[in-house]
Amino acid sequence: VRFERLMELLHAKMLEQSIEKYEGKTVEVLVDGTSTKDDNILAGKTKGGKLVNFTGNAKQGQIVNVKITKPTTFHLLGEMVE
């Protein structure tokens, strides 16, 4: 029970930090390919290694700008911008 509570607190803190750092901001993302869960969504990583799933049109290996629309605990959601 104590471990579960600790994990809940940790996830809440991580989400809070992710929202503060990324929400509404534009970040550079290296495109890895499509999302493992949806072929219509692209996936990539920030310079800091954070996973980003986003909409847009880009090829693997490109570096694109992505506006973060929804930070979550372990990844970011966004849309590609020019």
Side-chain angles (χ1 to χ4, degrees):
V1 174
R2 291 175 67 191
F3 180 74
E4 290 173 5
R5 179 68 182 136
L6 177 62
M7 292 305 294
E8 286 175 15
L9 291 171
L10 181 61
H11 283 247
K13 184 65 176 172
M14 289 172 64
L15 178 58
E16 180 183 316
Q17 290 174 342
S18 190
I19 289 171
E20 287 176 12
K21 186 172 182 177
Y22 293 106
E23 189 168 40
K25 297 200 169 100
T26 299
V27 295
E28 284 188 339
V29 174
L30 174 62
V31 180
D32 290 335
T34 57
S35 166
T36 56
K37 295 182 180 177
D38 186 343
D39 288 340
N40 297 314
I41 302 292
L42 295 171
K45 297 230 171 71
T46 66
K47 288 181 180 179
K50 190 89 166 169
L51 175 64
V52 183
N53 291 315
F54 62 98
T55 57
N57 187 15
K59 294 181 180 170
Q60 186 175 5
Q62 280 186 293
I63 295 175
V64 298
N65 290 318
V66 177
K67 182 174 182 182
I68 304 305
T69 56
K70 183 177 180 191
T72 68
T73 304
F74 296 107
H75 68 280
L76 306 170
L77 302 175
E79 52 194 32
M80 194 172 105
V81 294
E82 296 299 321

